[in-house]
Each structure stands twice: as structure tokens, then as C-alpha cells.
Amino acid sequence: MAVTGVELSSARLQRNRRSGVLKRLMSDYGQEVVVFAAIITLFVVVTMINPRFVSANNLTSIFAGNAYIAVAAIGMSMVIITGNIDVSVGALIGVLATISGTLAVAGYPIWVAWFLPVLVGMAINAVIGVLVAYAKIPSIVVTLGALSILRGGLISVTGGTWISNLPPDFLIAQKRLLGVPVPLIAMVVLTLAAAAWMRYFAFGRSLYALGGNPEAAVASGIPAERRTVAVFIIHGFFAGLATILFATQLQVIQSTVPPNLELTIITAAVIGGASILGGSGTVVGSTLAAILFAAIGSALIFTNVSAYWFRAVIGLLILATVLADMLRRQRST
Amino acid sequence: MTLRSFIRHETLLALLLALVLVVLSLQSDKFLTVQNLLNQGRLMTETGLIAIAMTFVIATGGIDLSVGSILGLSAILTGVFWQNVGLPLSVTAVAAIAVGTIAGLVNGIIITRFKVPPLIATLATLALYRGLAEGISQARSVRGYPEWFYVLGQGSVLGVPTQLWILLLAAVTASILLAYTRYGRTVYVIGSNEVTARFSGLSVEGTKLALYTASGFTAAVAAVIFVSRVSTTRSDMGTGIELDAITAVVLGGTSIFGGRGTVLGTVIGLCLIQALKNGLLLAGVKGDGTIMLIGAVLILAILASNLFERSGPR
């Protein structure tokens, strides 16, 4: 695994040496450009079939209704870029949403109901990070265990009941700021901030180094264990923010999250270009991928294709993206 | 270094299983009865078959997340071929198993020919195969199978549930294959160091291709048993079973980085999980509490085995 990681990052370096703006754009942001092009193509084709696809209502539901997936995928991308994985994030969002709703209904100040779950998310992920970094348990194993614990805990605490009677002020995801839905603003701001942080700050850069070549990263003075814990805490932070958007978009909070939410989030990160081998990927890509998913789901409805085909389409899409990426890498080496 | 650590982890696990059995039988007198234990064996067969193939896959350093979806697809095809196409049920079961095997083969091709990491490849096909199951069935279930079909999932042979014989056969065959054959040794070498395996002239690609195909095959067989056990076909069958199987395999001492693991360990891990599920249920703990406990056991078991070995993976 480590060997391939080194090979891939050296391939990336070689590509970066090539000249030409378009070529550089394609080699640095190849995946992002591909996903963006796919979104544009989809919008053009579906709008020709059914113009109501680009109605304001539908655009709002595409962009705002799925913003929480994009926000959660930001943290997931960072985890994947450092060569780890987290399959427990879906269950975590469910647990945090329940905490948030319970606080809101119990009459705590709204901001407590919003932000206490964020802290809880960071704390839970700190434990996961410590188990991965210091106890040296592979992240897939730790988060698989955490998935069971969180999911079981959620059902046994709530007993499957829904939380209703949420205070109107609590429902931030339904609000607009200057006419723009709040989730959309949150998605764009968080994505750009995280992207800039990962590209221009030493801490952000060190994540790529850790994922690309852990030995070299440690040799150059990066504290690998502490960074790994930090990445999981940051991931918990974004999962917490995603929870705010998720929990406040409806009048009720269900005791379950959409099935396979963690896989949707991982898939968004991966389609967006985060290499599961670690060392590459950007959060702009993962957000674009989350938008693409939402658009495909909506497109099926507007073109009268049964929504039951949604996952088959997503599966084909992931395969096509991954195969294209692999072929591109093989050609450039 | 390796053989001793195998024995140690499995002995530890077997002791844990014995302890759990004793404690649980004290909690409820319904637990340690032949009838109950056989019934539990019936319930764990589907996960068990998948976990046995998964042991090989994980021992090479790979993973197969698509097994639950292959199970769903094969289950749906069993029903659809029979009810909508009108083929005899015996033919449709075989056809469904064939499709599941091909689904596994496709995984293998994507992983070996295109060098896509197994986690990503099978994550993609997890969505694809489940999507096909949902699309083909349009979320309609199929029921009313002929009586003879239920022998597989609900009947008994010589007093033991039919499918438990299949699991036993699979476990023994796989055990011998992994421990005593050239093929088994190849699996371990690929898992410890794939480059070495390639330079040693071992067929790395061929071995992997066969493994993922076998994984699809066992998932499809599990699908037919599942349909026969619950008398109905739904497109969401087997959702999340990949996580159960992986938990059993990892709990059984197979290293997630490959190169280490035995079928016996997986079977003990499987029994431990099933015993906990059932015993706690009988002792009055709700199912959700049990799920939590299994998660904690998984993490603690790996933590303990890492501490004992000192030299943890990586």
C-alpha cells in the first residue's frame, strides 16, 4: 500500500512539471474539472427534457437539501487524504441530531442546541483518533466498532421515537440570508475556507504529506500521531456542522438517518478526488460530487425514470470516475 | 513469529467464547439447549458463508464491501426469474447464483485489471448491485414459493438445520484450502508483501480474481438460503451484512492489513457474535444494547491483540 502511494505521488509531481495552463488545470484539478463538467452536462440535458428542472424551487432543493452531505464530506476528505477512513459518520450525525433536537425541545438556548452537539462530535472523534493514532488500530476497524456503538446507542436511547415540536428559531436550515438559503451559504463558505486552509497552510499541507508518504512526513518533523487525532477532531467538527443543517431542515427529527449515509459521504469524497491511497484530493471536489449526486437524484424524477434506479446510476458513475482516474494515472506514469 | 500468534489469538478468543457461553447460560436456562443452539446456527449461516470468503479476501490485504448488495441482487433475481420469467425455481436459483458469481468476477476484474483499490471498487459495486436489485424489483417483494424450497432454509437433515451442513462443509473446505495448500500460502504471501509475491512468480492477479469471484459466489449462495429461510424476497436483503462479516473476520484474528488470519478464527468470532446477540436477548437486554456491545468487543479484541503482540501493524 505504502509503495503504491509513493509511486502515485511521484507521478503527480511529474505531471505538475508539465507546462500549459489547461494541462496544469487538468493535472492539478482533473477530478474537479470532470465532476464539474458532469454537473453542467446533466443540467443541460435534463433541462432540455424537462425545463422545470431549473425552477427556483428545484434548484433550492438540490443545493440546499443536500448541503449537509457536502459539509460532512469536507471532513471525510481530510480523513481519507491522510490515508484513513470513517464508516461511523452516518451514525454519528444521527446521534448528534437527536442530542440537538432534545436540547432544543427541552428549552435550552438555541445556540446551545446547535453547538453543543458539535463539541460532542469532536469529543467522540477524538476518542476514535486516539485509538487509530496511539493504539494503532486500523481506522476501518475502530470506526466499524464505533458505528455499532453509536447506532445501537441511538436506537436504545430514543426507542425509535421522533422529536417534534421543534422551536421555529431552531430550524436554521429553512431560513434565508439575503434571499439565499442558509445551507447553501454554509456549504460554499465552509468548502472554500477548508480548501484554502488545506492548500496554503502548513497544517493543511502536512495532511497530504502524511497520506502520501508517512515515513517521509515523520522524518521531516510532522508529528504523525497528533496530526491524525487532530484530523479526526476536525472531521467531528464538520460532522457536527453537517448535523445542524440536517437536524433543522424538517419540522421533526427522526431517530434514523438516511440508510448508507456514511457511504454517500465517503463516495462524495472519493468521486471528488480524494484518493483512498492517501495523499491527494480536495474538498472542492467532494462538494461538487455531493451536488452531482443530488442533481442526479432530482434528474431521475424530472425525466420520469423510476427513482429505484438511482443507486444503480450512482454506482455506474463511481465506477466510471474511478476507472477514468486509474487510466489517467497509468498513462501519466 | 506467525504460527504462535495465530494460536494465541484463537485460544484467547475460544476462552472468551467459553466464558460468554457460561455466563449466558447462567442468565437464562433457555440459552444452553440443543434446540436453541441449532437455531442460532441457522441464523448465522448467511453471515458465516460470506465471512469465510471474506477471510481470504482480507488475508490478501483486500476487502469486499459489495457482498451485501450481491446477496440482495441474487435474492431478487431468484424471485424475478421464477415469478416474472416463469422458469422452474431450481433453475432460477442456479441462475441467480451464477449472476452473483459474475458480480464477484466483475469486482475482481476491476481490482486486478484496472488496479482500483478494493475498498473503492467494491464501494462502487455496492451501490451498483444494490441499485440493480432495487431497479429490477421496483421494490416489490416476491413470496409464495413452493413448499420444497423451504427445506434449504427451514428444514433439517439428521436433526441439524440444512444450511448448517453447508456452512460446516464450507468452513472445513476453506480451512484446508487456506492452511494446507499452495493456494492458501499464496494468499498469505500476497497479504504480507505483494511485491515479493510477484517477484516470486506467484500468480497475484489470478489468485485475487478467484477470491473475489468466490466471494460473489458465497454471497449468492447465502442469498438463496436467506430467501428460503424467510420465505420472501426483498431488494433490501443483506443490507449491512458486509459489516457483520468483516466484524467476525477481524474479531477472529485476521489482520486488516493482510498476511495473517485463519478460517477457524473467523468461525469462533462468528459464534461469539451470535452467542452474544442471542444470549443477551434471552437475558432481557434489548437488541440495540447488543449491537453496542459487539462494537465494543470488536475494538477491545483488536486492542488486546495489539498489546499482546507489541509490534502492532504498521
Side-chain angles (χ1 to χ4, degrees), chain B residues 91-137:
Chain B
V91 176
T92 74
V94 172
I97 291 175
V99 173
T101 311
I102 292 170
L105 178 68
V106 170
N107 283 340
I109 291 173
I110 297 169
I111 290 163
T112 56
R113 287 293 298 273
F114 297 96
K115 312 283 178 226
V116 177
L119 189 72
I120 297 301
T122 57
L123 195 63
T125 53
L126 178 151
L128 176 63
Y129 298 151
R130 180 69 66 191
L132 288 176
E134 285 170 352
I136 291 170
S137 70

mmCIF file of all heavy atoms in Angstrom, chain B residues 91-137:
data_model
loop_
_atom_site.group_PDB
_atom_site.id
_atom_site.type_symbol
_atom_site.label_atom_id
_atom_site.label_comp_id
_atom_site.label_asym_id
_atom_site.label_seq_id
_atom_site.Cartn_x
_atom_site.Cartn_y
_atom_site.Cartn_z
ATOM 1 N N VAL B 91 -33.963 -23.907 -11.474
ATOM 2 C CA VAL B 91 -33.141 -23.248 -12.500
ATOM 3 C C VAL B 91 -32.849 -21.811 -12.092
ATOM 4 O O VAL B 91 -31.722 -21.320 -12.228
ATOM 5 C CB VAL B 91 -33.856 -23.276 -13.876
ATOM 6 C CG1 VAL B 91 -33.045 -22.513 -14.915
ATOM 7 C CG2 VAL B 91 -34.088 -24.704 -14.320
ATOM 8 N N THR B 92 -33.859 -21.114 -11.579
ATOM 9 C CA THR B 92 -33.647 -19.711 -11.240
ATOM 10 C C THR B 92 -32.653 -19.560 -10.100
ATOM 11 O O THR B 92 -31.869 -18.616 -10.084
ATOM 12 C CB THR B 92 -34.966 -19.009 -10.833
ATOM 13 O OG1 THR B 92 -35.343 -19.426 -9.534
ATOM 14 C CG2 THR B 92 -36.066 -19.278 -11.792
ATOM 15 N N ALA B 93 -32.695 -20.506 -9.129
ATOM 16 C CA ALA B 93 -31.729 -20.427 -8.030
ATOM 17 C C ALA B 93 -30.312 -20.535 -8.570
ATOM 18 O O ALA B 93 -29.422 -19.758 -8.196
ATOM 19 C CB ALA B 93 -32.007 -21.522 -7.003
ATOM 20 N N VAL B 94 -30.123 -21.490 -9.498
ATOM 21 C CA VAL B 94 -28.791 -21.660 -10.088
ATOM 22 C C VAL B 94 -28.410 -20.417 -10.900
ATOM 23 O O VAL B 94 -27.284 -19.919 -10.817
ATOM 24 C CB VAL B 94 -28.756 -22.920 -10.986
ATOM 25 C CG1 VAL B 94 -27.445 -22.993 -11.756
ATOM 26 C CG2 VAL B 94 -28.943 -24.167 -10.134
ATOM 27 N N ALA B 95 -29.370 -19.880 -11.647
ATOM 28 C CA ALA B 95 -29.091 -18.693 -12.454
ATOM 29 C C ALA B 95 -28.720 -17.515 -11.565
ATOM 30 O O ALA B 95 -27.784 -16.754 -11.866
ATOM 31 C CB ALA B 95 -30.308 -18.348 -13.308
ATOM 32 N N ALA B 96 -29.444 -17.373 -10.439
ATOM 33 C CA ALA B 96 -29.155 -16.263 -9.525
ATOM 34 C C ALA B 96 -27.758 -16.405 -8.936
ATOM 35 O O ALA B 96 -27.018 -15.419 -8.797
ATOM 36 C CB ALA B 96 -30.197 -16.212 -8.412
ATOM 37 N N ILE B 97 -27.399 -17.643 -8.611
ATOM 38 C CA ILE B 97 -26.052 -17.873 -8.074
ATOM 39 C C ILE B 97 -24.999 -17.558 -9.141
ATOM 40 O O ILE B 97 -23.959 -16.970 -8.857
ATOM 41 C CB ILE B 97 -25.908 -19.322 -7.548
ATOM 42 C CG1 ILE B 97 -26.769 -19.502 -6.296
ATOM 43 C CG2 ILE B 97 -24.458 -19.654 -7.240
ATOM 44 C CD1 ILE B 97 -26.817 -20.908 -5.752
ATOM 45 N N ALA B 98 -25.325 -17.921 -10.385
ATOM 46 C CA ALA B 98 -24.395 -17.617 -11.477
ATOM 47 C C ALA B 98 -24.190 -16.110 -11.619
ATOM 48 O O ALA B 98 -23.063 -15.635 -11.764
ATOM 49 C CB ALA B 98 -24.919 -18.213 -12.786
ATOM 50 N N VAL B 99 -25.296 -15.356 -11.547
ATOM 51 C CA VAL B 99 -25.180 -13.901 -11.675
ATOM 52 C C VAL B 99 -24.348 -13.328 -10.523
ATOM 53 O O VAL B 99 -23.485 -12.468 -10.721
ATOM 54 C CB VAL B 99 -26.575 -13.233 -11.714
ATOM 55 C CG1 VAL B 99 -26.442 -11.717 -11.660
ATOM 56 C CG2 VAL B 99 -27.327 -13.647 -12.962
ATOM 57 N N GLY B 100 -24.596 -13.824 -9.294
ATOM 58 C CA GLY B 100 -23.820 -13.372 -8.143
ATOM 59 C C GLY B 100 -22.334 -13.641 -8.329
ATOM 60 O O GLY B 100 -21.488 -12.819 -7.988
ATOM 61 N N THR B 101 -22.031 -14.825 -8.892
ATOM 62 C CA THR B 101 -20.635 -15.182 -9.133
ATOM 63 C C THR B 101 -20.018 -14.234 -10.158
ATOM 64 O O THR B 101 -18.881 -13.779 -10.007
ATOM 65 C CB THR B 101 -20.548 -16.637 -9.634
ATOM 66 O OG1 THR B 101 -21.320 -17.458 -8.766
ATOM 67 C CG2 THR B 101 -19.110 -17.113 -9.659
ATOM 68 N N ILE B 102 -20.790 -13.913 -11.202
ATOM 69 C CA ILE B 102 -20.295 -12.980 -12.216
ATOM 70 C C ILE B 102 -20.067 -11.595 -11.592
ATOM 71 O O ILE B 102 -19.072 -10.920 -11.884
ATOM 72 C CB ILE B 102 -21.289 -12.882 -13.393
ATOM 73 C CG1 ILE B 102 -21.306 -14.216 -14.156
ATOM 74 C CG2 ILE B 102 -20.911 -11.743 -14.337
ATOM 75 C CD1 ILE B 102 -22.409 -14.321 -15.178
ATOM 76 N N ALA B 103 -20.981 -11.213 -10.681
ATOM 77 C CA ALA B 103 -20.820 -9.924 -10.000
ATOM 78 C C ALA B 103 -19.490 -9.891 -9.244
ATOM 79 O O ALA B 103 -18.766 -8.887 -9.269
ATOM 80 C CB ALA B 103 -21.987 -9.681 -9.051
ATOM 81 N N GLY B 104 -19.164 -11.016 -8.592
ATOM 82 C CA GLY B 104 -17.878 -11.113 -7.903
ATOM 83 C C GLY B 104 -16.714 -11.046 -8.881
ATOM 84 O O GLY B 104 -15.700 -10.397 -8.624
ATOM 85 N N LEU B 105 -16.888 -11.718 -10.027
ATOM 86 C CA LEU B 105 -15.847 -11.714 -11.059
ATOM 87 C C LEU B 105 -15.588 -10.290 -11.556
ATOM 88 O O LEU B 105 -14.444 -9.879 -11.758
ATOM 89 C CB LEU B 105 -16.277 -12.615 -12.220
ATOM 90 C CG LEU B 105 -15.325 -12.699 -13.420
ATOM 91 C CD1 LEU B 105 -14.035 -13.409 -13.034
ATOM 92 C CD2 LEU B 105 -15.984 -13.423 -14.595
ATOM 93 N N VAL B 106 -16.681 -9.531 -11.735
ATOM 94 C CA VAL B 106 -16.542 -8.138 -12.171
ATOM 95 C C VAL B 106 -15.724 -7.347 -11.145
ATOM 96 O O VAL B 106 -14.814 -6.592 -11.509
ATOM 97 C CB VAL B 106 -17.929 -7.485 -12.384
ATOM 98 C CG1 VAL B 106 -17.815 -5.985 -12.588
ATOM 99 C CG2 VAL B 106 -18.633 -8.132 -13.574
ATOM 100 N N ASN B 107 -16.020 -7.534 -9.857
ATOM 101 C CA ASN B 107 -15.200 -6.911 -8.809
ATOM 102 C C ASN B 107 -13.727 -7.245 -9.028
ATOM 103 O O ASN B 107 -12.865 -6.369 -8.983
ATOM 104 C CB ASN B 107 -15.598 -7.437 -7.423
ATOM 105 C CG ASN B 107 -16.873 -6.817 -6.913
ATOM 106 O OD1 ASN B 107 -17.267 -5.748 -7.384
ATOM 107 N ND2 ASN B 107 -17.513 -7.466 -5.965
ATOM 108 N N GLY B 108 -13.485 -8.536 -9.215
ATOM 109 C CA GLY B 108 -12.109 -8.999 -9.377
ATOM 110 C C GLY B 108 -11.419 -8.367 -10.568
ATOM 111 O O GLY B 108 -10.253 -7.970 -10.493
ATOM 112 N N ILE B 109 -12.151 -8.246 -11.679
ATOM 113 C CA ILE B 109 -11.569 -7.650 -12.889
ATOM 114 C C ILE B 109 -11.228 -6.182 -12.649
ATOM 115 O O ILE B 109 -10.144 -5.709 -12.999
ATOM 116 C CB ILE B 109 -12.532 -7.805 -14.084
ATOM 117 C CG1 ILE B 109 -12.621 -9.291 -14.484
ATOM 118 C CG2 ILE B 109 -12.062 -6.972 -15.270
ATOM 119 C CD1 ILE B 109 -13.667 -9.591 -15.535
ATOM 120 N N ILE B 110 -12.170 -5.450 -12.005
ATOM 121 C CA ILE B 110 -11.922 -4.038 -11.742
ATOM 122 C C ILE B 110 -10.679 -3.878 -10.859
ATOM 123 O O ILE B 110 -9.852 -2.994 -11.075
ATOM 124 C CB ILE B 110 -13.139 -3.387 -11.039
ATOM 125 C CG1 ILE B 110 -14.370 -3.433 -11.953
ATOM 126 C CG2 ILE B 110 -12.846 -1.955 -10.644
ATOM 127 C CD1 ILE B 110 -15.660 -3.059 -11.260
ATOM 128 N N ILE B 111 -10.542 -4.776 -9.885
ATOM 129 C CA ILE B 111 -9.446 -4.653 -8.923
ATOM 130 C C ILE B 111 -8.114 -5.081 -9.541
ATOM 131 O O ILE B 111 -7.097 -4.416 -9.358
ATOM 132 C CB ILE B 111 -9.756 -5.492 -7.665
ATOM 133 C CG1 ILE B 111 -10.908 -4.835 -6.892
ATOM 134 C CG2 ILE B 111 -8.529 -5.622 -6.772
ATOM 135 C CD1 ILE B 111 -11.579 -5.740 -5.893
ATOM 136 N N THR B 112 -8.123 -6.187 -10.308
ATOM 137 C CA THR B 112 -6.847 -6.688 -10.814
ATOM 138 C C THR B 112 -6.430 -6.038 -12.132
ATOM 139 O O THR B 112 -5.274 -5.695 -12.322
ATOM 140 C CB THR B 112 -6.878 -8.218 -11.012
ATOM 141 O OG1 THR B 112 -7.975 -8.546 -11.877
ATOM 142 C CG2 THR B 112 -7.056 -8.927 -9.695
ATOM 143 N N ARG B 113 -7.386 -5.850 -13.041
ATOM 144 C CA ARG B 113 -7.013 -5.294 -14.346
ATOM 145 C C ARG B 113 -6.807 -3.786 -14.308
ATOM 146 O O ARG B 113 -5.897 -3.247 -14.927
ATOM 147 C CB ARG B 113 -8.081 -5.632 -15.394
ATOM 148 C CG ARG B 113 -8.077 -7.075 -15.825
ATOM 149 C CD ARG B 113 -6.809 -7.434 -16.582
ATOM 150 N NE ARG B 113 -6.662 -6.668 -17.810
ATOM 151 C CZ ARG B 113 -7.188 -7.017 -18.970
ATOM 152 N NH1 ARG B 113 -7.887 -8.128 -19.039
ATOM 153 N NH2 ARG B 113 -7.003 -6.277 -20.035
ATOM 154 N N PHE B 114 -7.681 -3.093 -13.562
ATOM 155 C CA PHE B 114 -7.612 -1.629 -13.568
ATOM 156 C C PHE B 114 -6.921 -1.069 -12.327
ATOM 157 O O PHE B 114 -6.830 0.138 -12.159
ATOM 158 C CB PHE B 114 -9.013 -1.038 -13.717
ATOM 159 C CG PHE B 114 -9.661 -1.390 -15.021
ATOM 160 C CD1 PHE B 114 -10.524 -2.466 -15.113
ATOM 161 C CD2 PHE B 114 -9.385 -0.652 -16.168
ATOM 162 C CE1 PHE B 114 -11.107 -2.808 -16.322
ATOM 163 C CE2 PHE B 114 -9.966 -0.986 -17.376
ATOM 164 C CZ PHE B 114 -10.829 -2.068 -17.459
ATOM 165 N N LYS B 115 -6.468 -1.964 -11.454
ATOM 166 C CA LYS B 115 -5.707 -1.561 -10.260
ATOM 167 C C LYS B 115 -6.474 -0.595 -9.364
ATOM 168 O O LYS B 115 -5.889 0.291 -8.761
ATOM 169 C CB LYS B 115 -4.369 -0.909 -10.655
ATOM 170 C CG LYS B 115 -3.572 -1.667 -11.690
ATOM 171 C CD LYS B 115 -2.873 -2.860 -11.077
ATOM 172 C CE LYS B 115 -2.117 -3.635 -12.117
ATOM 173 N NZ LYS B 115 -2.332 -5.073 -12.016
ATOM 174 N N VAL B 116 -7.793 -0.724 -9.335
ATOM 175 C CA VAL B 116 -8.585 0.122 -8.439
ATOM 176 C C VAL B 116 -8.500 -0.488 -7.041
ATOM 177 O O VAL B 116 -8.661 -1.697 -6.895
ATOM 178 C CB VAL B 116 -10.055 0.182 -8.894
ATOM 179 C CG1 VAL B 116 -10.896 1.001 -7.926
ATOM 180 C CG2 VAL B 116 -10.148 0.758 -10.294
ATOM 181 N N PRO B 117 -8.215 0.328 -5.995
ATOM 182 C CA PRO B 117 -8.160 -0.240 -4.645
ATOM 183 C C PRO B 117 -9.473 -0.945 -4.301
ATOM 184 O O PRO B 117 -10.542 -0.422 -4.609
ATOM 185 C CB PRO B 117 -7.968 0.991 -3.754
ATOM 186 C CG PRO B 117 -7.432 2.044 -4.649
ATOM 187 C CD PRO B 117 -7.957 1.760 -6.016
ATOM 188 N N PRO B 118 -9.393 -2.147 -3.675
ATOM 189 C CA PRO B 118 -10.595 -2.939 -3.392
ATOM 190 C C PRO B 118 -11.669 -2.172 -2.641
ATOM 191 O O PRO B 118 -12.859 -2.331 -2.920
ATOM 192 C CB PRO B 118 -10.065 -4.083 -2.527
ATOM 193 C CG PRO B 118 -8.632 -4.200 -2.887
ATOM 194 C CD PRO B 118 -8.173 -2.831 -3.260
ATOM 195 N N LEU B 119 -11.265 -1.315 -1.694
ATOM 196 C CA LEU B 119 -12.246 -0.569 -0.908
ATOM 197 C C LEU B 119 -13.125 0.282 -1.816
ATOM 198 O O LEU B 119 -14.339 0.322 -1.681
ATOM 199 C CB LEU B 119 -11.510 0.313 0.118
ATOM 200 C CG LEU B 119 -12.381 0.994 1.155
ATOM 201 C CD1 LEU B 119 -12.917 0.001 2.158
ATOM 202 C CD2 LEU B 119 -11.600 2.075 1.887
ATOM 203 N N ILE B 120 -12.485 0.948 -2.789
ATOM 204 C CA ILE B 120 -13.219 1.826 -3.707
ATOM 205 C C ILE B 120 -14.021 1.007 -4.712
ATOM 206 O O ILE B 120 -15.189 1.289 -4.980
ATOM 207 C CB ILE B 120 -12.237 2.730 -4.475
ATOM 208 C CG1 ILE B 120 -11.513 3.639 -3.512
ATOM 209 C CG2 ILE B 120 -12.965 3.539 -5.521
ATOM 210 C CD1 ILE B 120 -12.408 4.514 -2.733
ATOM 211 N N ALA B 121 -13.374 -0.005 -5.283
ATOM 212 C CA ALA B 121 -14.037 -0.806 -6.310
ATOM 213 C C ALA B 121 -15.328 -1.409 -5.761
ATOM 214 O O ALA B 121 -16.391 -1.335 -6.390
ATOM 215 C CB ALA B 121 -13.101 -1.910 -6.799
ATOM 216 N N THR B 122 -15.239 -1.988 -4.554
ATOM 217 C CA THR B 122 -16.423 -2.669 -4.036
ATOM 218 C C THR B 122 -17.412 -1.686 -3.417
ATOM 219 O O THR B 122 -18.585 -1.995 -3.277
ATOM 220 C CB THR B 122 -16.034 -3.759 -3.005
ATOM 221 O OG1 THR B 122 -15.281 -3.178 -1.949
ATOM 222 C CG2 THR B 122 -15.217 -4.842 -3.653
ATOM 223 N N LEU B 123 -16.936 -0.487 -3.076
ATOM 224 C CA LEU B 123 -17.859 0.564 -2.644
ATOM 225 C C LEU B 123 -18.734 0.967 -3.833
ATOM 226 O O LEU B 123 -19.944 1.162 -3.709
ATOM 227 C CB LEU B 123 -17.064 1.773 -2.153
ATOM 228 C CG LEU B 123 -17.775 2.840 -1.345
ATOM 229 C CD1 LEU B 123 -18.275 2.249 -0.046
ATOM 230 C CD2 LEU B 123 -16.830 4.002 -1.061
ATOM 231 N N ALA B 124 -18.109 1.058 -5.001
ATOM 232 C CA ALA B 124 -18.850 1.409 -6.219
ATOM 233 C C ALA B 124 -19.846 0.315 -6.569
ATOM 234 O O ALA B 124 -21.016 0.588 -6.854
ATOM 235 C CB ALA B 124 -17.882 1.633 -7.377
ATOM 236 N N THR B 125 -19.399 -0.948 -6.515
ATOM 237 C CA THR B 125 -20.314 -2.021 -6.903
ATOM 238 C C THR B 125 -21.358 -2.270 -5.816
ATOM 239 O O THR B 125 -22.430 -2.783 -6.113
ATOM 240 C CB THR B 125 -19.562 -3.318 -7.254
ATOM 241 O OG1 THR B 125 -18.698 -3.655 -6.176
ATOM 242 C CG2 THR B 125 -18.772 -3.168 -8.520
ATOM 243 N N LEU B 126 -21.042 -1.875 -4.575
ATOM 244 C CA LEU B 126 -22.063 -1.935 -3.520
ATOM 245 C C LEU B 126 -23.281 -1.116 -3.955
ATOM 246 O O LEU B 126 -24.415 -1.574 -3.891
ATOM 247 C CB LEU B 126 -21.505 -1.391 -2.207
ATOM 248 C CG LEU B 126 -22.434 -1.319 -0.982
ATOM 249 C CD1 LEU B 126 -21.615 -1.449 0.303
ATOM 250 C CD2 LEU B 126 -23.227 -0.034 -0.890
ATOM 251 N N ALA B 127 -23.001 0.098 -4.427
ATOM 252 C CA ALA B 127 -24.101 0.956 -4.888
ATOM 253 C C ALA B 127 -24.728 0.383 -6.157
ATOM 254 O O ALA B 127 -25.946 0.322 -6.294
ATOM 255 C CB ALA B 127 -23.589 2.367 -5.136
ATOM 256 N N LEU B 128 -23.869 -0.062 -7.090
ATOM 257 C CA LEU B 128 -24.361 -0.546 -8.381
ATOM 258 C C LEU B 128 -25.260 -1.783 -8.238
ATOM 259 O O LEU B 128 -26.384 -1.808 -8.755
ATOM 260 C CB LEU B 128 -23.170 -0.866 -9.299
ATOM 261 C CG LEU B 128 -23.505 -1.479 -10.649
ATOM 262 C CD1 LEU B 128 -24.342 -0.514 -11.486
ATOM 263 C CD2 LEU B 128 -22.244 -1.861 -11.418
ATOM 264 N N TYR B 129 -24.783 -2.807 -7.515
ATOM 265 C CA TYR B 129 -25.549 -4.052 -7.425
ATOM 266 C C TYR B 129 -26.845 -3.848 -6.642
ATOM 267 O O TYR B 129 -27.892 -4.392 -6.976
ATOM 268 C CB TYR B 129 -24.711 -5.165 -6.790
ATOM 269 C CG TYR B 129 -23.469 -5.542 -7.588
ATOM 270 C CD1 TYR B 129 -22.332 -6.034 -6.976
ATOM 271 C CD2 TYR B 129 -23.446 -5.379 -8.975
ATOM 272 C CE1 TYR B 129 -21.200 -6.369 -7.699
ATOM 273 C CE2 TYR B 129 -22.317 -5.710 -9.707
ATOM 274 C CZ TYR B 129 -21.195 -6.197 -9.069
ATOM 275 O OH TYR B 129 -20.082 -6.522 -9.782
ATOM 276 N N ARG B 130 -26.768 -3.038 -5.553
ATOM 277 C CA ARG B 130 -27.988 -2.769 -4.795
ATOM 278 C C ARG B 130 -28.953 -1.979 -5.674
ATOM 279 O O ARG B 130 -30.159 -2.223 -5.663
ATOM 280 C CB ARG B 130 -27.647 -1.986 -3.518
ATOM 281 C CG ARG B 130 -28.845 -1.650 -2.661
ATOM 282 C CD ARG B 130 -29.457 -2.861 -2.007
ATOM 283 N NE ARG B 130 -28.548 -3.474 -1.029
ATOM 284 C CZ ARG B 130 -28.759 -4.653 -0.471
ATOM 285 N NH1 ARG B 130 -29.825 -5.354 -0.775
ATOM 286 N NH2 ARG B 130 -27.892 -5.154 0.381
ATOM 287 N N GLY B 131 -28.400 -1.043 -6.444
ATOM 288 C CA GLY B 131 -29.234 -0.253 -7.347
ATOM 289 C C GLY B 131 -29.912 -1.144 -8.385
ATOM 290 O O GLY B 131 -31.093 -0.965 -8.694
ATOM 291 N N LEU B 132 -29.184 -2.133 -8.918
ATOM 292 C CA LEU B 132 -29.786 -3.071 -9.877
ATOM 293 C C LEU B 132 -30.909 -3.863 -9.209
ATOM 294 O O LEU B 132 -31.985 -4.036 -9.783
ATOM 295 C CB LEU B 132 -28.716 -4.023 -10.427
ATOM 296 C CG LEU B 132 -27.704 -3.408 -11.402
ATOM 297 C CD1 LEU B 132 -26.649 -4.438 -11.799
ATOM 298 C CD2 LEU B 132 -28.409 -2.883 -12.649
ATOM 299 N N ALA B 133 -30.657 -4.305 -7.974
ATOM 300 C CA ALA B 133 -31.689 -5.058 -7.253
ATOM 301 C C ALA B 133 -32.940 -4.207 -7.074
ATOM 302 O O ALA B 133 -34.063 -4.674 -7.297
ATOM 303 C CB ALA B 133 -31.154 -5.518 -5.888
ATOM 304 N N GLU B 134 -32.742 -2.945 -6.699
ATOM 305 C CA GLU B 134 -33.892 -2.056 -6.492
ATOM 306 C C GLU B 134 -34.589 -1.739 -7.808
ATOM 307 O O GLU B 134 -35.815 -1.727 -7.909
ATOM 308 C CB GLU B 134 -33.434 -0.759 -5.818
ATOM 309 C CG GLU B 134 -33.131 -0.939 -4.341
ATOM 310 C CD GLU B 134 -32.462 0.276 -3.726
ATOM 311 O OE1 GLU B 134 -32.099 1.208 -4.477
ATOM 312 O OE2 GLU B 134 -32.297 0.292 -2.495
ATOM 313 N N GLY B 135 -33.779 -1.484 -8.838
ATOM 314 C CA GLY B 135 -34.344 -1.127 -10.132
ATOM 315 C C GLY B 135 -35.119 -2.278 -10.752
ATOM 316 O O GLY B 135 -36.228 -2.104 -11.258
ATOM 317 N N ILE B 136 -34.533 -3.478 -10.719
ATOM 318 C CA ILE B 136 -35.189 -4.642 -11.323
ATOM 319 C C ILE B 136 -36.483 -4.991 -10.594
ATOM 320 O O ILE B 136 -37.513 -5.262 -11.195
ATOM 321 C CB ILE B 136 -34.227 -5.863 -11.328
ATOM 322 C CG1 ILE B 136 -33.079 -5.619 -12.302
ATOM 323 C CG2 ILE B 136 -34.969 -7.141 -11.699
ATOM 324 C CD1 ILE B 136 -31.958 -6.626 -12.205
ATOM 325 N N SER B 137 -36.426 -4.926 -9.239
ATOM 326 C CA SER B 137 -37.610 -5.331 -8.473
ATOM 327 C C SER B 137 -38.608 -4.198 -8.334
ATOM 328 O O SER B 137 -39.770 -4.441 -8.025
ATOM 329 C CB SER B 137 -37.190 -5.787 -7.078
ATOM 330 O OG SER B 137 -36.760 -4.682 -6.318
#
